[in-house]
Amino acid sequence: MAETTNSATDPGGDRETDFPSCVYQPDDEGRWTVTMPINMHVTVPGDRDAVAAIEAEFAGLENPRWTQVFPDTAVRAWDSDSRALVAPDYSVRRPRLGDEWTHVHAWRVDADRVAVHAHLDVLDREFEYYHRGAHYDAATQRVRSHLSATEWRRETPYSIDYRTDAETRTAWGETGDTKLEYVGD
């Protein structure tokens, strides 16, 4: 699924060492452009699959507030192995009254690593699905607080190089850069 990009960032990178850095979405002309940061790097060492570990935290009867039901906008991340933009392996959001729903997308980097983008859905009638992503720092805080304190460890300080221009970076504001490691099981 190779889409064209029109971006201020180099979508390149080596998947062996780098996590994808940005979320891409199509513009009005169908070109895929950088819109949001991939602001969480997650490691799950051992036998447990990284995407399965993330999914387990948001799925099942013990997590009824999180859902995959609502329609999603098209988002992609750069996969340096296939040299293409790829859809997330897992997406979930937490509905609530009003706006600022926590929305999470996860991409497999390899068996032990997942790149996670977290934002809050903010109502905006000018967008196709009447919402847009924003408040990245608040979203990562909500995701961190959701994850079990006994099974996840946050490593700080941590800073992600998004390889974007200064204007894009300023428009994003605080991104909530986070590195998490699963330590359960």
Side-chain angles (χ1 to χ4, degrees), residues 111-128:
D112 296 333
R113 298 181 299 161
V114 176
V116 175
H117 162 73
H119 70 260
L120 300 184
D121 286 342
V122 176
L123 294 178
D124 189 333
R125 300 199 184 277
E126 293 181 19
F127 280 70
E128 181 179 0

Side-chain angles (χ1 to χ4, degrees), residues 20-123:
S21 60
C22 297
V23 173
Y24 291 75
Q25 292 180 289
D27 63 15
D28 293 338
E29 297 174 12
R31 293 174 301 191
W32 290 79
T33 60
V34 168
T35 57
M36 298 180 284
I38 293 180
N39 47 3
M40 302 180 79
H41 294 178
V42 179
T43 304
V44 183
D47 294 334
R48 187 150 192 203
D49 178 74
V51 171
I54 289 291
E55 186 174 353
E57 293 292 338
F58 294 102
L61 296 176
E62 62 277 0
N63 291 300
R65 294 182 178 141
W66 293 91
T67 184
Q68 294 181 286
V69 172
F70 295 100
D72 244 336
T73 57
V75 296
R76 301 284 187 270
W78 182 254
D79 178 350
S80 62
D81 289 345
S82 65
R83 308 254 341 126
L85 292 168
V86 296
D89 293 294
Y90 184 72
S91 295
V92 65
R93 66 169 44 105
R94 185 175 178 177
R96 50 180 261 167
L97 291 176
D99 64 356
E100 297 192 356
W101 296 7
T102 307
H103 198 167
V104 176
H105 299 290
W107 287 268
R108 177 183 313 278
V109 176
D110 55 36
D112 296 333
R113 298 181 299 161
V114 176
V116 175
H117 162 73
H119 70 260
L120 300 184
D121 286 342
V122 176
L123 294 178

